Amino acid sequence: MKSILLIGLGRFGKHIAIKLSELHHQVMAVDQVEERVNAVLSYVTNAQIGDSKNEEFLKSLGVRNYDLCIVAIGEDFQSSLETTSLLKELGARYVVSRASQDIHAKFLLRNGADEIVYPEKQLANWTAIRFSSDHIFDYIELEGDNAIVEVAVPSHWIGKTVGELDIRKKYHINLLATKHNKNLETSINAETVLTSDISLLVLGSHNNIQRCFHI
């Protein structure tokens, strides 16, 4: 369980608060708008109404004490930038800031953000890949041009074992798990038979995944 300071409670911030609550983390939520704060009260440990650009207000939150600070402000880049910078100046351990444009990401990184989240761009990539192919069911982009993809079993693989296909050697991708009726099976070996009623979770570079599954 982590202690997390979440600043910005628009739609994106609210969804983060709800998910962090499900994961049983301790969350202090902050926004200038009272209605937004009230909307997340049942999901967070504490919440305050305040201006995150105000240094004294941020000091009062004890930002050094949080394992993680998330700046989820999306509609006002200047506020996001100032908040990110102040958090680092006040000794925040790790700051994750939301960006909506590439230029915003660059400025946020230069002004103290340890990491950037790019929800619009990331969701756009997921949507384009997920729905432009009939046999891609899910997609997670990773660092270094890699991805995890949930994909249907190719027709010419059905009935064959993992050992017969020699997937890692021939296609340079890793088979992480199979999925059947939402249940994951990670105990895969050379004798595992691939059937038409399962999907595969594979890890590899974009190029290797595209070549292997003809995406």
Side-chain angles (χ1 to χ4, degrees):
M1 181 175 66
K2 290 187 175 183
S3 59
I4 299 170
L5 174 61
L6 173 61
I7 300 175
L9 301 173
R11 285 176 294 179
F12 181 59
K14 182 180 178 181
H15 283 301
I16 293 176
I18 293 170
K19 191 61 182 181
L20 289 174
S21 173
E22 292 175 358
L23 296 171
H24 307 293
H25 293 295
Q26 293 183 333
V27 180
M28 164 66 82
V30 173
D31 200 284
Q32 292 188 81
V33 181
E34 183 177 1
E35 290 78 7
R36 291 180 175 180
V37 173
N38 290 337
V40 302
L41 283 176
S42 60
Y43 303 107
V44 299
T45 311
N46 288 295
Q48 287 200 31
I49 303 166
D51 183 0
S52 61
K53 302 188 302 298
N54 184 303
E55 185 173 351
E56 293 305 314
F57 173 68
L58 279 188
K59 278 184 180 179
S60 72
L61 298 175
V63 298
R64 293 174 180 266
N65 300 320
Y66 295 96
D67 298 309
L68 170 66
C69 298
I70 300 175
V71 182
I73 300 169
E75 66 277 5
D76 184 348
F77 174 64
Q78 186 63 35
S79 292
S80 177
L81 187 63
E82 290 183 32
T83 299
T84 298
S85 181
L86 276 174
L87 285 170
K88 293 305 284 189
E89 288 176 15
L90 294 172
R93 299 183 197 177
Y94 201 85
V95 178
V96 176
S97 299
R98 174 186 180 178
S100 56
Q101 298 179 32
D102 290 336
I103 189 66
H104 291 174
K106 291 178 182 178
F107 276 108
L108 288 165
L109 289 168
R110 289 175 185 172
N111 284 271
D114 295 289
E115 196 164 341
I116 298 297
V117 290
Y118 211 149
E120 290 87 356
K121 184 177 181 178
Q122 290 162 344
L123 181 58
N125 288 344
W126 181 90
T127 302
I129 292 170
R130 164 66 180 86
F131 293 104
S132 63
S133 174
D134 293 334
H135 54 280
I136 296 292
F137 305 131
D138 205 352
Y139 168 85
I140 301 172
E141 189 168 317
L142 303 175
E143 296 291 336
D145 195 42
N146 293 306
I148 296 174
V149 175
E150 181 184 350
V151 62
V153 178
S155 58
H156 59 286
W157 288 11
I158 294 172
K160 295 182 179 179
T161 66
V162 172
E164 284 180 282
L165 293 167
D166 203 5
I167 297 169
R168 186 172 185 178
K169 184 176 181 180
K170 288 183 179 177
Y171 303 101
H172 306 292
I173 60 173
N174 293 298
L175 179 56
L176 302 178
T178 60
K179 186 175 179 181
H180 180 253
N181 292 333
K182 299 184 179 180
N183 295 314
L184 285 181
E185 176 55 65
T186 57
S187 300
I188 300 169
N189 55 51
E191 303 306 316
T192 300
V193 177
L194 303 185
T195 58
S196 60
D197 59 344
I198 64 171
S199 57
L200 309 176
L201 269 70
V202 300
L203 166 66
S205 70
H206 291 94
N207 287 338
N208 287 337
I209 290 172
Q210 286 171 348
R211 282 196 294 268
C212 180
F213 298 106
H214 307 292
I215 300 171

